[in-house]
Amino acid sequence: MRPSLTRRSFVKATSAGLAGIGFLATGARSLYAAATGKANVLALKGGTPVRGKPFSQTWPLVDEREEAALLKALKSRNWCCIRGNAVYDFQKVFAEAMGVPHCFLTNGGTTALSASLSVLDVGPGDEVITTPNTFIATINTITNLHALPVFVDVDPDTGSIDADRIEAALTEHTKAILPVHLAGWPVDIEKIMALAQKHKIAVVEDACQSVYAQVNGKKVGTFGRTGCISFQEYKSLVCGEGGAILGRDDEFMRRCGAFVNNGRDPQRRERGYPFPGSNHRMTEFQAAVLAAQFTRFKDQAPLRYENGRYVEEALAKIPGLTPRKRYGGDTRPTFVQFEMDYDRSAFQNVPATRFAEALRAENIPMRGGPRRYSGGCHKEKMLQEHLNSAAFQAAFSPARLEKYRQSLRFPVMDGEKPSRKETLSMDSKIPFLGSRKDMDEIIEAVQKVARNVDKLM
Ligand SMILES: Cc1ncc(COP(=O)(O)O)c(C=O)c1O
């Protein structure tokens, strides 16, 4: 863009040439100023970055609320929930916030999942249908019960379990379906629930990474027989380590509550230890921090969503950027992870990696690249260890184990059919807690890079 441009000719040129791209969203005036100065030169090429400094990386956020809550728990001398109040009080608060009658807190998302599967009586010889694209904890909860994780390939557009492939994976041994809502993005949960109801199979939702994501007004983790949440410190609602089991079924949840507390009846109808169990209890310290964090999270979650929607809507006006696929009608991700599809043909064939590199120079922490799924839990060595263990050898015939070993190939997950789609993504847990000005800077930076994409070749 020539600096000698007049304002009138600039507006005319951009209106005519770029109107469809939504470049005028931030105002022709600021664009004119940007285009005529160093501000329009990509930071990667020595120009001034759109944002003066990177987004903060400080997480978790802490203030006097956590300090006071911790001190109160400490001084109470009731550090275990059996005599304390913090765990039981927050169970009520969280159940109500999630829209379910029951919540039991645990010492982690892993133990919340384990308890759910144990109460479902998943055990040796059983199969649990799940996704290879998850954190290994999901799979550990199945294999530790000496059941087989039956993997279903992922949807190439999202990396979530492909709900249309689940029915073919059902067998007489299927005890549960364990879908995972990854990084704040709901899976096709309504389709999975309909299928599960048709076949009378329980669903345990792994919503560990997606607290407050919603589908048609219902929060994920509240569709299945149980839903499990993680409060581990990298998540969006945190207390160091912690988890929750959510559910609607009174009797099933009574058993879950008992399971995490060494079999004690949470309704205290029976003395002693009427149910099977273990100790998955959360401490009063964790619950004290969690309750304090929740006062902040209640405002953060809607803010993150609003900011995510705002940025997505503005960027969707740029030809070549498309919102990530959603399942179901009103699907609301948490936007702890921002993601848009990137079509390089609209950007003079510049790869998404290069586009994102230019954005990072503008102090916008985007990543770019082809949509591919590396790894996969089916390839982890631990799975072979389990299959070779005495417990698995006792629970499954050699023929069944061999058939299972042979089945561990998934074209999409393994990249045999690499998708040509690329994405731009951002860990937005912290950035989307920013102000409207911060969001406008993200938008402006993407527009700037799009405008100057020819300089990236
Ligand atoms: C998808 C998924 N499932 C389960 C877990 C286990 O949660 P936790 O670490 O709280 O045990 C995690 C934690 O990262 C996770 O990401």
Side-chain angles (χ1 to χ4, degrees):
M1 196 70 70
R2 280 170 293 131
S4 58
L5 215 58
T6 64
R7 183 170 186 273
R8 187 186 296 268
S9 68
F10 172 80
V11 170
K12 214 172 144 199
T14 50
S15 305
L18 308 172
I21 312 180
F23 277 21
L24 299 180
T26 50
R29 187 189 296 272
S30 66
L31 257 184
Y32 168 71
T36 52
K38 220 181 162 197
N40 194 46
V41 177
L42 291 176
L44 202 61
K45 302 285 177 185
T48 310
V50 169
R51 259 184 86 77
K53 56 180 175 38
F55 282 97
S56 154
Q57 293 297 332
T58 305
W59 191 261
L61 304 176
V62 171
D63 62 22
E64 61 282 355
R65 279 174 277 186
E66 282 78 11
E67 287 174 17
L70 269 174
L71 213 55
K72 190 174 162 205
L74 183 75
K75 289 184 173 169
S76 76
R77 291 198 161 74
N78 293 326
W79 298 348
C80 164
C81 69
I82 293 176
R83 288 197 304 145
N85 296 318
V87 167
Y88 294 128
D89 286 350
F90 191 70
Q91 285 180 171
K92 289 190 203 121
V93 169
F94 197 57
E96 194 183 333
M98 293 298 288
V100 285
H102 304 288
C103 165
F104 290 103
L105 295 178
T106 63
N107 55 16
T110 310
T111 45
L113 288 165
S114 293
S116 301
L117 294 183
S118 296
V119 175
L120 272 176
D121 203 19
V122 170
D126 291 335
E127 296 176 358
V128 176
I129 292 181
T130 191
T131 169
N133 192 23
T134 181
F135 178 54
I136 198 70
T138 314
I139 310 308
N140 285 336
T141 65
I142 303 168
T143 48
N144 287 342
L145 291 172
H146 308 127
L148 280 178
V150 172
F151 298 106
V152 167
D153 208 352
V154 298
D155 176 345
D157 287 335
T158 63
S160 293
I161 190 168
D162 187 339
D164 289 328
R165 293 173 188 257
I166 292 178
E167 197 155 28
L170 294 169
T171 72
E172 59 183 312
H173 305 290
T174 309
K175 205 62 173 277
I177 304 173
L178 179 35
V180 182
H181 306 279
L182 277 176
W185 292 88
V187 299
D188 197 351
I189 190 66
E190 290 187 337
K191 190 178 274 181
I192 293 172
M193 290 309 300
L195 185 78
Q197 271 148 22
K198 181 176 150 199
H199 293 277
K200 299 194 170 42
I201 289 171
V203 172
V204 171
E205 292 175 80
D206 182 340
C208 284
Q209 298 184 2
S210 298
V211 58
Y212 267 40
Q214 289 187 34
V215 176
N216 292 326
K218 216 164 135 179
K219 294 195 170 62
V220 304
T222 67
F223 286 80
R225 181 71 62 83
T226 69
C228 299
I229 305 285
S230 168
F231 304 121
Q232 182 268 344
E233 125 180 1
Y234 306 152
K235 308 295 190 299
S236 53
L237 171 59
V238 299
C239 63
E241 297 282 1
I245 313 173
L246 305 164
R248 299 172 190 279
D249 179 327
D250 296 344
E251 202 45 39
F252 190 85
M253 287 303 290
R254 181 182 177 195
R255 284 177 167 265
C256 287
F259 192 91
V260 302
N261 191 12
N262 270 325
R264 293 178 181 88
D265 186 351
Q267 297 176 1
R268 312 224 199 283
R269 283 196 202 141
E270 293 181 52
R271 297 179 73 82
Y273 306 93
F275 300 115
S278 186
N279 179 2
H280 296 337
R281 289 190 301 264
M282 179 182 273
T283 68
E284 290 288 284
F285 301 119
Q286 289 160 300
V289 171
L290 189 56
Q293 288 277 315
F294 188 66
T295 59
R296 211 177 276 115
F297 175 83
K298 271 193 307 192
D299 300 326
Q300 289 173 340
L303 174 63
R304 234 183 240 117
Y305 180 72
E306 280 314 312
N307 278 336
R309 285 281 299 138
Y310 179 75
V311 170
E312 186 185 59
E313 212 170 284
L315 297 188
K317 292 181 184 146
I318 300 177
L321 291 183
T322 315
R324 176 185 150 142
K325 173 172 143 183
R326 266 82 148 163
Y327 303 105
D330 181 12
T331 292
R332 299 188 180 202
T334 61
F335 282 119
V336 293
Q337 172 85 19
F338 182 70
E339 197 176 302
M340 288 188 89
D341 292 342
Y342 174 96
D343 177 0
R344 72 162 77 174
S345 70
F347 298 107
Q348 304 192 27
N349 263 333
V350 167
T353 42
R354 181 80 174 134
F355 196 100
E357 191 189 347
L359 282 170
R360 290 198 297 280
E362 306 291 339
N363 282 324
I364 309 300
M366 293 265 188
R367 300 257 143 219
R371 188 183 277 293
R372 77 160 75 87
Y373 305 104
S374 55
C377 293
H378 62 298
K379 289 188 180 157
E380 291 297 340
K381 193 168 161 278
M382 77 88 179
L383 190 58
Q384 295 304 326
E385 292 253 339
H386 275 294
L387 299 181
N388 294 332
S389 69
F392 270 73
Q393 305 279 330
F396 299 89
S397 70
R400 203 165 149 208
L401 286 179
E402 188 47 32
K403 191 171 165 210
Y404 179 78
R405 283 195 186 89
Q406 296 301 325
S407 75
L408 294 173
R409 281 186 54 241
F410 306 98
V412 179
M413 188 69 208
D414 296 340
E416 283 171 28
K417 283 195 225 157
S419 166
R420 288 175 47 223
K421 275 194 181 160
E422 294 175 88
T423 61
L424 279 184
S425 64
M426 176 170 70
D427 180 343
S428 44
K429 187 167 63 204
I430 303 167
F432 281 174
L433 296 180
S435 62
R436 191 40 65 95
K437 179 170 169 283
D438 293 320
M439 299 310 111
D440 285 335
E441 285 175 351
I442 295 172
I443 296 164
E444 197 181 320
V446 179
Q447 291 172 341
K448 178 183 172 186
V449 174
R451 226 171 29 237
N452 288 286
V453 79
D454 56 316
K455 322 274 182 350
L456 293 176
M457 293 192 298

